[in-house]
Amino acid sequence: MERIAVCPGSFDPVTKGHLDIITRASKLFDRVIVLVSKNMMKTRACFSPQERKSLILSVTKDFPNVTVDIFDGLLADYVRDAGAIAIVKGLRAVSDFEYEFQMALANRELYAGAETVFLTTTAENMYLSSSVVKQIAAFGGDISHFIPPEILDFIEKRLLEERLS
Ligand code: PNS
């Protein structure tokens, strides 16, 4: 049986931190579905779901067992329908824990057929998030340390337009 994991997130935009988690997940499972999902608490996105999917596709093109999808509904429903056995999430600083723990428990309540698996971030990605990247870019800072090189130009250009609008 193929062991499928779903790696959900807002990915607005995908960062080197996300890519590290996706890469490591791709070594643990037969197939990883990176799922561009909706976080109800994040109301204002910079990139459309389709753009976020394209950016993730660009940075995962060399991984044969990684696919990318967009889903607007409940994560637990997607995971069940995909036949996945795990939800993979990256865990950063202590502040992530309570929120992630709550989501893991809720997802298990909704669908007990998949385990939430937390991969701890590397030390260099400990404080990296899409929001931090957007803030740095908004103030004209250098985001090249945080964004995979092949998508850097597109993201910088877009975040600059956002800043000027
Ligand atoms: O990258 P994020 O914003 O931390 O990811 C959070 C996300 C999108 C994975 C989470 O909000 C989610 O699972 N959304 C899908 C809707 C859902 O199932 N919500 C209930 C989770 S308990």
Side-chain angles (χ1 to χ4, degrees), residues 69-84:
D69 201 2
I70 301 173
F71 188 63
D72 219 2
L74 269 181
L75 175 62
D77 290 341
Y78 185 96
V79 169
R80 180 195 297 110
D81 293 349

Side-chain angles (χ1 to χ4, degrees), residues 7-12 18 35-42 71-77 87 89 92 96 99-100 102-108 110 130:
C7 191
S10 306
F11 303 109
D12 185 46
H18 295 129
L35 192 66
V36 176
S37 320
K38 199 178 181 99
N39 183 339
M40 301 281 279
M41 286 178 313
K42 297 180 182 170
F71 188 63
D72 219 2
L74 269 181
L75 175 62
D77 290 341
I87 297 167
K89 300 227 66 185
R92 290 167 305 192
D96 269 352
Y99 171 67
E100 292 295 348
Q102 199 179 8
M103 280 207 294
L105 291 181
N107 283 325
R108 177 181 293 159
L110 293 169
S130 301

